[in-house]
Amino acid sequence: MTPVRVISKSSGEVVIIGAGLAGLAAALHLAGRGRAVTVVERETFPGGRAGRLDADGYRIDTGPTVLTMPDVVEETLAAVGETLAGRLDLVRLDPAYRAMFADGSQLDVHTDADAMADEVARFAGPAEADGYRRLRAWLTELYQAEFGRFIASNFDSPLSMAGPSLGRLAALGGFGRLEPAIGRFLRDERLRRVFTFQSLYAGQSPQRALALYAVIAYMDTVAGVYFPRGGMRALPDALAGAAEAAGVRFRYGSPVTALERSGERICAVRTADGERIACDAVVLATELQTAYRLLGRSPWRPVRLRPSPSAVVLHLGIRRQRPEQAHHTISFGAAWHGTFRQIIDDGQPMSDPSLLITRPTASDPGLAPPGRDLLYILAPAPNLHAGSADWDTAKWDTVADAYADQLISTVADRLMPGLAAEIETAQVITPADWSRQGLVAGTPFSYAHSFWQTGPFRPGNLPRGASNAVLAGCGTVPGVGVPTALISGRLAADRVTGAPPARTTRVIDTRAGAVS
């Protein structure tokens, strides 16, 4: 493999701006390599996009609710000699998801191959079960071809990716389109949705997404979906706790206002409370636009970066428990292709939305008061720059409550009769709220993973104009998601110190569902 650029191998202080998942991962890897590390965070707690809100006895996660690839978490903790089991109590979800369709049919998505094949046979017949097994084998091959070389590695140019691995990925059809690729294995349109809806996490419709993003379906449906007891906030809390134990210093409630320079080198970070923190290198684990504002420049692009679609998220505390509901339910509307055009091209909410409904109290009842349930409803939505931008901040602020009522009515009609009368606390987050948090175009999913915003064409983690600065987070490589954010932090650490000489990437044994 061609060596990649490294900014510094000296033993000076590294300052990390941002205690999100990428910043925490960078801190752990750098601390494990003997660096003195200070993390500066504007909030009073770690997590970044993995935020939190406590209301009326409910412990609400305001960020991601799906955790996959726990081996990446374990690798991150292992950087300072800790274990996942020592810091987190993970529950493996079975089913990983429950899929509900407009025709009334239902499919439980299992990560065990035999259990899922049996479920597909019940749902759509033995031929589709055979197709599922072939799909699973293809997803595994795709992951093995893609993960270590293209997701979990730094590269300095498109040419550095050339080689047998790229040829294998192309031979597997990774550069075709996702929906036709899945269609080679499954004829049932409902099943195709189950294995393609994940493309929206990457900011693309299944019709436009590259087939290589089927790796997200691998993570969900083969490697498995997990949930940490204590809620998703337990993940950043665990990482921050391990980092502190390893000597990392944290400055919470300290927004960074400026970077002090000496020529092309950043020599100190200044905070809003007047603190000056000297540094040998700096990792900007922030929103990309925030990082470039601090650097005093913009990334050079021949075409403007395109943000991903956004989401409206509704958090509900209800007076009764709903034991019939799975931890994660995907409620598919009758419409499909047209709804992606609405949010991506037209800049309009989905007229017949497909929804992710999460009930975290299914796995941890302690997240709600006794006898209560906590629900999370996510509806894909246009970002604030989509289409004609009719749905701007002012409009979302005006319609937020009415749109939340509409979502409640939709969920009640499809899954939970009488839901509206059971609600005792409600919190709605719209693209306007994401924008006020500083997220580009009001989307928590950063920039879309189109071809020209993927891999070497995504904003790199070595910005021009600052010889000792590195970027980390969803806006740079490898991209959006919990495992990829953690990998981004490790890639940033590799840019500072160089990659450790012996690092192995563990893979999932798809027959047993075990980490090896």
Side-chain angles (χ1 to χ4, degrees):
M1 186 181 297
T2 304
V4 296
R5 288 175 56 200
V6 175
I7 64 170
S8 172
K9 290 189 177 180
S10 67
S11 58
E13 176 90 18
V14 181
V15 174
I16 298 172
I17 303 174
L21 298 179
L24 294 169
L28 286 161
H29 284 284
L30 288 167
R33 300 171 195 179
R35 285 302 192 99
V37 180
T38 298
V39 179
V40 186
E41 166 58 45
R42 67 180 182 181
E43 299 292 345
T44 58
F45 50 82
R49 279 174 169 81
R52 61 192 69 184
L53 173 67
D54 293 337
D56 302 322
Y58 293 91
R59 293 168 53 83
I60 299 168
D61 291 318
T62 60
T65 62
V66 177
L67 176 61
T68 61
M69 305 299 290
D71 51 309
V72 177
V73 180
E74 184 141 35
E75 179 192 62
T76 306
L77 290 167
V80 293
E82 298 225 24
T83 64
L84 189 153
R87 286 284 175 179
L88 281 171
D89 181 8
L90 288 189
V91 178
R92 183 164 183 155
L93 303 184
D94 188 23
Y97 295 99
R98 176 167 294 155
M100 307 288 290
F101 299 91
D103 63 2
S105 58
Q106 171 182 317
L107 175 80
D108 280 354
V109 178
H110 301 284
T111 51
D112 176 79
D114 292 336
M116 186 59 182
D118 289 344
E119 177 72 351
V120 171
R122 177 200 64 79
F123 181 79
E128 291 294 85
D130 290 342
Y132 160 74
R133 289 189 182 277
R134 290 185 289 107
L135 170 62
R136 185 183 177 97
W138 178 75
L139 290 173
T140 302
E141 282 191 85
L142 191 72
Y143 167 79
Q144 292 171 342
E146 188 176 343
F147 186 82
R149 181 66 184 93
F150 301 108
I151 296 175
S153 296
N154 277 314
F155 38 81
D156 290 331
S157 74
L159 291 177
S160 66
M161 297 180 67
S165 296
L166 186 67
R168 184 184 177 201
L169 189 58
L172 287 168
F175 297 105
R177 297 298 173 187
L178 176 61
E179 192 171 68
I182 300 300
R184 297 201 310 266
F185 304 98
L186 300 172
R187 298 178 62 86
D188 189 290
E189 191 266 346
R190 298 166 300 171
L191 288 175
R192 294 184 189 183
R193 292 191 189 189
V194 169
F195 291 95
T196 61
F197 81 89
Q198 297 91 346
S199 68
L200 205 54
Y201 299 156
Q204 296 283 89
S205 70
Q207 300 80 47
R208 295 180 183 174
L210 294 173
L212 57 85
Y213 282 106
V215 72
I216 308 175
Y218 170 89
M219 294 176 183
D220 281 359
T221 68
V222 178
V225 176
Y226 295 78
F227 186 74
R229 296 193 192 277
M232 287 294 286
R233 70 179 69 185
L235 174 58
D237 285 350
L239 298 176
E244 285 189 289
V248 174
R249 298 177 297 277
F250 284 84
R251 301 285 190 272
Y252 290 113
S254 298
V256 171
T257 55
L259 303 177
E260 187 178 310
R261 289 174 175 264
S262 176
E264 285 204 346
R265 292 188 66 79
I266 295 166
C267 57
V269 171
R270 291 191 176 272
T271 67
D273 57 8
E275 186 175 10
R276 178 186 183 273
I277 308 171
C279 61
D280 175 64
V282 62
V283 177
L284 293 101
T286 67
E287 183 76 358
L288 192 64
Q289 61 187 3
T290 302
Y292 275 99
R293 176 178 55 77
L294 290 169
L295 291 167
R297 61 181 299 119
S298 298
W300 183 87
R301 305 279 300 186
V303 179
R304 181 180 176 183
L305 284 165
R306 184 172 66 81
S308 292
S310 185
V312 173
V313 179
L314 181 59
H315 300 281
L316 301 177
I318 61 174
R319 294 185 184 89
R320 55 162 287 195
Q321 293 179 325
R322 290 273 188 171
E324 74 280 6
Q325 299 300 320
H327 188 114
H328 291 300
T329 298
I330 306 164
S331 174
F332 290 103
W336 187 240
H337 294 157
T339 58
F340 293 105
R341 288 192 295 271
Q342 286 177 315
I343 62 169
I344 296 174
D345 299 328
D346 302 337
Q348 301 291 324
M350 288 181 171
S351 57
D352 182 17
S354 292
L355 307 173
L356 172 62
I357 301 151
T358 295
R359 178 178 163 251
T361 39
S363 300
D364 187 349
L367 298 175
R372 266 65 168 175
D373 252 345
L374 180 59
L375 301 175
Y376 162 114
I377 302 167
L378 183 148
N383 66 54
L384 298 179
H385 296 172
S388 60
D390 291 339
W391 284 74
D392 58 9
T393 297
K395 183 161 186 176
W396 276 114
D397 285 343
T398 300
V399 307
D401 289 342
Y403 191 76
D405 289 342
Q406 182 180 330
L407 289 179
I408 292 167
S409 178
T410 299
V411 173
D413 290 343
R414 294 181 184 179
L415 298 173
M416 303 182 202
L419 176 62
E422 299 167 4
I423 297 169
E424 63 178 2
T425 188
Q427 305 286 337
V428 61
I429 304 173
T430 72
D433 298 306
W434 301 122
S435 180
R436 281 187 281 268
Q437 294 178 28
L439 304 185
V440 62
T443 174
F445 303 113
S446 192
Y447 296 100
H449 287 261
S450 61
F451 179 83
W452 296 111
Q453 294 180 184
T454 291
F457 306 114
R458 197 165 182 82
N461 58 7
L462 286 181
R464 293 185 176 90
S467 62
N468 62 336
V470 186
L471 305 181
C474 295
T476 184
V477 291
V480 179
V482 171
T484 41
L486 296 173
I487 292 166
S488 178
R490 195 261 296 158
L491 294 179
D494 289 353
R495 288 294 195 183
V496 175
T497 67
R503 184 179 66 238
T504 59
T505 300
R506 297 187 302 163
V507 299
I508 301 293
D509 181 340
T510 60
R511 293 165 297 174
V515 178
S516 60

XYZ file of all heavy atoms in Angstrom, residues 7-78:
512
model
N 1.380 14.406 9.243
C 1.705 15.818 9.472
C 2.769 16.026 10.534
O 3.450 17.045 10.527
C 0.442 16.636 9.833
C -0.163 16.163 11.166
C -0.571 16.582 8.714
C -1.240 17.093 11.680
N 2.925 15.115 11.492
C 3.872 15.341 12.570
C 4.100 14.048 13.320
O 3.165 13.313 13.599
C 3.344 16.408 13.544
O 4.172 16.492 14.684
N 5.366 13.812 13.669
C 5.672 12.654 14.513
C 6.316 13.078 15.825
O 6.852 12.264 16.560
C 6.580 11.677 13.768
C 5.865 10.971 12.612
C 6.707 9.855 12.029
C 5.954 9.125 10.925
N 6.744 8.029 10.336
N 6.253 14.380 16.134
C 6.821 14.849 17.389
C 5.882 14.506 18.541
O 4.761 14.062 18.335
C 7.051 16.360 17.331
O 5.815 17.046 17.263
N 6.324 14.740 19.749
C 5.548 14.312 20.906
C 4.792 15.449 21.580
O 4.440 15.361 22.748
C 6.480 13.652 21.935
O 7.506 14.568 22.315
N 4.535 16.540 20.851
C 3.862 17.681 21.440
C 2.380 17.462 21.668
O 1.819 16.407 21.373
N 1.743 18.502 22.172
C 0.318 18.474 22.510
C -0.547 18.458 21.253
O -0.300 19.197 20.301
C -0.021 19.710 23.341
C -1.479 19.860 23.683
C -1.836 19.168 24.995
O -0.940 18.876 25.790
O -3.042 18.939 25.208
N -1.578 17.637 21.266
C -2.602 17.660 20.218
C -3.886 18.191 20.836
O -4.324 17.700 21.885
C -2.857 16.259 19.624
C -3.923 16.338 18.523
C -1.576 15.660 19.074
N -4.485 19.181 20.207
C -5.777 19.691 20.631
C -6.822 19.191 19.653
O -6.648 19.319 18.432
C -5.797 21.226 20.713
C -7.211 21.730 21.013
C -4.838 21.711 21.784
N -7.891 18.617 20.185
C -9.013 18.146 19.374
C -10.193 19.065 19.642
O -10.574 19.270 20.796
C -9.371 16.689 19.712
C -8.180 15.777 19.396
C -10.615 16.238 18.938
C -8.355 14.348 19.865
N -10.746 19.622 18.586
C -11.899 20.504 18.713
C -13.143 19.682 18.400
O -13.352 19.248 17.272
C -11.788 21.701 17.757
C -10.489 22.466 18.009
C -12.988 22.635 17.925
C -10.227 23.585 17.009
N -13.951 19.440 19.417
C -15.172 18.661 19.245
C -15.091 17.309 19.926
O -14.190 16.516 19.646
N -16.034 17.056 20.841
C -16.087 15.774 21.553
C -17.221 14.916 21.029
O -17.878 14.206 21.793
C -16.241 16.007 23.058
N -17.463 14.987 19.717
C -18.356 14.024 19.097
C -17.649 12.687 18.963
O -16.524 12.489 19.446
N -18.298 11.741 18.303
C -17.730 10.394 18.210
C -16.384 10.402 17.502
O -15.460 9.687 17.900
C -18.712 9.465 17.507
C -20.054 9.255 18.212
C -20.946 8.328 17.395
C -19.865 8.699 19.627
N -16.235 11.212 16.449
C -14.961 11.265 15.735
C -13.876 11.865 16.609
O -12.739 11.366 16.648
C -15.119 12.070 14.447
N -14.191 12.943 17.313
C -13.205 13.557 18.189
C -12.789 12.647 19.323
O -11.607 12.574 19.693
N -13.753 11.932 19.902
C -13.438 10.996 20.978
C -12.562 9.855 20.481
O -11.619 9.429 21.163
C -14.725 10.457 21.593
C -15.597 11.482 22.329
C -16.957 10.874 22.658
C -14.904 11.972 23.598
N -12.868 9.339 19.283
C -12.046 8.260 18.726
C -10.631 8.746 18.462
O -9.654 8.044 18.756
C -12.688 7.731 17.445
N -10.496 9.952 17.908
C -9.160 10.499 17.676
C -8.402 10.635 18.983
O -7.201 10.318 19.071
C -9.271 11.852 16.976
N -9.078 11.106 20.035
C -8.433 11.274 21.331
C -7.925 9.942 21.872
O -6.793 9.851 22.393
C -9.420 11.904 22.315
N -8.731 8.889 21.760
C -8.327 7.584 22.273
C -7.131 7.026 21.509
O -6.179 6.520 22.110
C -9.512 6.621 22.218
C -10.580 6.863 23.285
C -11.899 6.201 22.893
C -10.116 6.337 24.642
N -7.173 7.125 20.202
C -6.056 6.589 19.418
C -4.778 7.383 19.657
O -3.680 6.800 19.774
C -6.419 6.568 17.936
C -7.355 5.457 17.563
N -6.954 4.155 17.441
C -8.693 5.464 17.308
C -7.991 3.393 17.120
N -9.057 4.162 17.028
N -4.881 8.698 19.757
C -3.688 9.511 19.990
C -3.139 9.293 21.398
O -1.921 9.192 21.591
C -4.012 10.988 19.757
C -4.216 11.375 18.292
C -4.847 12.755 18.187
C -2.887 11.340 17.539
N -4.026 9.203 22.373
C -3.567 8.939 23.740
C -2.883 7.584 23.825
O -1.859 7.423 24.506
C -4.738 9.014 24.711
N -3.456 6.593 23.121
C -2.857 5.262 23.134
C -1.491 5.207 22.479
O -0.720 4.275 22.710
N -1.184 6.218 21.663
C 0.125 6.285 21.007
C 1.072 7.242 21.733
O 2.096 7.648 21.187
C -0.059 6.701 19.554
C -0.913 5.728 18.764
C -1.271 6.249 17.390
N -2.368 5.470 16.814
C -2.910 5.718 15.627
N -2.467 6.729 14.887
N -3.906 4.980 15.189
N 0.696 7.622 22.940
C 1.599 8.399 23.767
C 1.506 9.899 23.629
O 2.344 10.618 24.200
N 0.523 10.392 22.906
C 0.384 11.835 22.754
C -0.359 12.443 23.932
O -1.266 11.836 24.503
C -0.376 12.173 21.463
C 0.443 12.010 20.197
C 1.706 12.874 20.235
N 2.351 12.944 18.950
C 2.213 13.964 18.089
N 1.422 14.978 18.394
N 2.849 13.944 16.946
N 0.020 13.675 24.291
C -0.748 14.469 25.240
C -1.904 15.109 24.476
O -1.690 15.748 23.443
C 0.133 15.549 25.862
N -3.140 14.914 24.952
C -4.325 15.313 24.196
C -5.243 16.155 25.073
O -5.505 15.802 26.235
C -5.106 14.076 23.679
C -6.350 14.507 22.898
C -4.214 13.193 22.815
N -5.729 17.244 24.499
C -6.779 18.041 25.119
C -7.951 18.124 24.145
O -7.757 18.427 22.964
C -6.298 19.467 25.443
O -5.226 19.395 26.374
C -7.422 20.303 26.050
N -9.153 17.834 24.626
C -10.368 17.927 23.821
C -11.160 19.148 24.288
O -11.438 19.288 25.481
C -11.233 16.658 23.949
C -12.509 16.799 23.119
C -10.442 15.427 23.503
N -11.505 20.010 23.351
C -12.256 21.225 23.655
C -13.638 21.088 23.022
O -13.760 20.842 21.814
C -11.532 22.471 23.105
C -12.240 23.745 23.564
C -10.076 22.492 23.543
N -14.676 21.234 23.829
C -16.053 20.973 23.381
C -16.967 22.115 23.824
O -16.928 22.541 24.977
C -16.531 19.638 23.957
C -18.011 19.360 23.867
C -18.546 19.379 22.444
O -17.910 18.787 21.553
O -19.616 19.994 22.238
N -17.814 22.580 22.907
C -18.700 23.704 23.233
C -19.827 23.300 24.172
O -20.312 24.114 24.957
C -19.282 24.303 21.962
C -20.240 23.387 21.199
C -20.775 24.022 19.954
N -21.719 23.129 19.271
C -22.328 23.438 18.133
N -22.116 24.609 17.563
N -23.164 22.577 17.585
N -20.287 22.045 24.094
C -21.356 21.585 24.975
C -20.788 21.182 26.335
O -19.572 21.102 26.519
C -22.086 20.392 24.343
C -22.746 20.695 23.003
C -23.926 21.643 23.108
O -24.426 21.853 24.236
O -24.345 22.181 22.066
N -21.668 20.890 27.262
C -21.229 20.494 28.602
C -21.121 18.982 28.750
O -20.930 18.478 29.865
C -22.200 21.057 29.660
O -23.516 20.576 29.385
C -22.191 22.580 29.647
N -21.250 18.242 27.656
C -21.191 16.781 27.673
C -20.644 16.313 26.334
O -20.679 17.042 25.343
C -22.578 16.176 27.917
C -23.649 16.741 27.019
C -23.823 16.269 25.718
C -24.485 17.765 27.460
C -24.787 16.781 24.882
C -25.462 18.290 26.624
C -25.615 17.796 25.336
N -20.142 15.072 26.263
C -19.632 14.549 25.005
C -20.765 14.001 24.129
O -21.862 13.738 24.608
C -18.703 13.422 25.447
C -19.352 12.898 26.694
C -19.941 14.117 27.373
N -20.466 13.819 22.838
C -21.427 13.155 21.959
C -21.602 13.805 20.613
O -21.879 13.129 19.631
N -21.518 15.141 20.530
C -21.746 15.792 19.247
C -23.141 15.527 18.741
O -24.133 15.783 19.434
N -23.237 14.949 17.532
C -24.550 14.614 16.975
C -25.302 13.595 17.848
O -26.525 13.540 17.801
C -24.396 14.035 15.572
C -24.201 15.064 14.473
C -23.915 14.336 13.165
N -23.977 15.215 12.027
C -22.984 16.029 11.636
N -21.870 16.063 12.356
N -23.118 16.798 10.564
N -24.569 12.800 18.597
C -25.198 11.847 19.520
C -25.589 12.607 20.787
O -25.014 12.422 21.860
C -24.251 10.696 19.830
N -26.594 13.471 20.646
C -26.982 14.374 21.721
C -27.955 13.745 22.701
O -28.327 12.575 22.595
N -28.394 14.548 23.654
C -29.258 14.034 24.716
C -30.171 15.134 25.226
O -29.874 16.323 25.142
C -28.396 13.488 25.852
C -27.501 14.562 26.489
C -26.463 13.961 27.406
N -25.459 13.212 26.666
C -24.475 12.516 27.224
N -24.367 12.466 28.540
N -23.592 11.870 26.507
N -31.294 14.705 25.738
C -32.279 15.619 26.319
C -33.047 14.844 27.379
O -33.598 13.778 27.096
C -33.243 16.122 25.233
C -34.425 16.963 25.698
C -33.954 18.291 26.259
C -35.390 17.190 24.528
N -33.097 15.375 28.578
C -33.863 14.755 29.656
C -35.112 15.597 29.903
O -35.019 16.814 30.098
C -33.034 14.669 30.937
C -31.859 13.718 30.788
O -31.922 12.837 29.917
O -30.873 13.864 31.538
N -36.283 14.962 29.859
C -37.537 15.693 30.017
C -38.551 14.815 30.741
O -38.831 13.687 30.302
C -38.090 16.105 28.642
N -39.077 15.305 31.854
C -40.169 14.649 32.582
C -39.855 13.203 32.934
O -40.733 12.327 32.883
C -41.464 14.720 31.753
C -41.858 16.147 31.422
O -41.674 17.023 32.296
O -42.319 16.384 30.301
N -38.596 12.926 33.259
C -38.208 11.575 33.640
C -37.822 10.675 32.483
O -37.465 9.508 32.703
N -37.868 11.193 31.249
C -37.473 10.426 30.059
C -36.043 10.808 29.676
O -35.690 11.992 29.634
C -38.414 10.729 28.891
C -39.825 10.234 29.094
C -40.789 11.051 29.675
C -40.197 8.953 28.705
C -42.092 10.614 29.869
C -41.495 8.501 28.896
C -42.436 9.328 29.475
O -43.722 8.885 29.664
N -35.232 9.786 29.379
C -33.838 9.993 28.954
C -33.794 9.815 27.443
O -33.770 8.697 26.925
C -32.920 9.005 29.666
C -32.844 9.261 31.174
C -32.162 8.120 31.926
N -30.854 7.790 31.388
C -29.731 8.438 31.702
N -29.782 9.467 32.531
N -28.571 8.056 31.199
N -33.790 10.949 26.745
C -33.977 10.970 25.297
C -32.630 11.125 24.586
O -31.838 12.008 24.927
C -34.915 12.129 24.894
C -36.290 11.946 25.549
C -35.044 12.231 23.387
C -37.180 13.176 25.434
N -32.379 10.257 23.601
C -31.246 10.424 22.694
C -31.722 11.221 21.489
O -32.678 10.815 20.814
C -30.708 9.070 22.224
C -30.032 8.291 23.340
O -29.287 8.915 24.114
O -30.249 7.069 23.433
N -31.061 12.346 21.209
C -31.504 13.191 20.102
C -30.720 12.953 18.820
O -30.927 13.643 17.833
C -31.393 14.673 20.490
O -30.027 14.983 20.804
C -32.273 14.981 21.691
N -29.817 11.983 18.835
C -29.016 11.690 17.655
C -29.306 10.305 17.117
O -30.454 9.855 17.104
N -28.274 9.583 16.687
C -28.482 8.253 16.099
C -29.096 7.290 17.099
O -28.838 7.370 18.311
C -27.074 7.819 15.690
C -26.160 8.642 16.531
C -26.849 9.947 16.726
N -29.891 6.365 16.590
C -30.501 5.333 17.438
C -30.072 3.932 17.025
O -30.406 2.970 17.717
C -32.037 5.402 17.369
O -32.460 5.162 16.025
C -32.547 6.753 17.830
N -29.375 3.817 15.901
C -28.962 2.506 15.382
C -27.458 2.369 15.568
O -26.679 3.193 15.069
C -29.339 2.356 13.902
C -28.846 1.009 13.356
C -30.851 2.482 13.710
N -27.033 1.332 16.269
C -25.614 1.062 16.475
C -25.256 -0.250 15.792
O -25.824 -1.301 16.102
C -25.303 0.982 17.967
C -23.856 0.598 18.347
C -22.876 1.623 17.798
C -23.708 0.453 19.854
N -24.316 -0.182 14.870
C -23.807 -1.374 14.185
C -22.292 -1.438 14.354
O -21.663 -0.516 14.856
C -24.148 -1.352 12.685
O -23.530 -0.203 12.074
C -25.653 -1.288 12.470
N -21.703 -2.535 13.939
C -20.255 -2.729 13.921
C -19.609 -2.477 15.292
O -18.719 -1.635 15.442
C -19.616 -1.831 12.849
C -20.201 -2.019 11.468
S -19.978 -3.708 10.840
C -18.215 -3.729 10.558
N -20.031 -3.204 16.322
C -19.426 -2.990 17.646
C -17.937 -3.292 17.673
O -17.228 -2.820 18.574
C -20.219 -3.937 18.555
C -20.767 -4.979 17.642
C -21.061 -4.264 16.362
N -17.439 -4.052 16.700
C -16.004 -4.302 16.641
C -15.214 -3.020 16.428
O -14.077 -2.899 16.882
C -15.678 -5.336 15.558
C -16.283 -5.004 14.219
O -17.499 -4.747 14.167
O -15.554 -4.998 13.210
N -15.827 -2.021 15.745
C -15.154 -0.732 15.574
C -15.087 0.008 16.909
O -14.083 0.652 17.232
C -15.870 0.115 14.501
C -15.220 1.486 14.373
C -15.856 -0.594 13.150
N -16.157 -0.099 17.697
C -16.131 0.480 19.045
C -15.041 -0.193 19.875
O -14.265 0.469 20.577
C -17.502 0.332 19.737
C -17.462 0.943 21.135
C -18.608 0.972 18.902
N -14.976 -1.516 19.783
C -13.973 -2.247 20.571
C -12.563 -1.873 20.144
O -11.670 -1.701 20.984
C -14.189 -3.755 20.453
C -13.237 -4.554 21.312
C -13.892 -5.759 21.956
O -14.764 -6.358 21.308
O -13.531 -6.085 23.099
N -12.328 -1.729 18.842
C -11.011 -1.311 18.354
C -10.644 0.068 18.912
O -9.493 0.325 19.269
C -10.990 -1.270 16.819
C -9.651 -0.820 16.243
C -9.736 -0.511 14.761
O -10.489 0.421 14.392
O -9.049 -1.170 13.971
N -11.649 0.952 18.990
C -11.408 2.299 19.499
C -11.015 2.273 20.966
O -10.063 2.937 21.391
C -12.664 3.165 19.294
O -13.052 3.125 17.911
C -12.414 4.605 19.695
N -11.730 1.501 21.766
C -11.402 1.384 23.187
C -10.079 0.657 23.401
O -9.313 0.985 24.321
C -12.534 0.660 23.916
C -13.845 1.439 24.063
C -14.975 0.516 24.500
C -13.684 2.589 25.055
N -9.793 -0.310 22.537
C -8.555 -1.076 22.674
C -7.320 -0.211 22.470
O -6.222 -0.576 22.902
C -8.546 -2.243 21.690
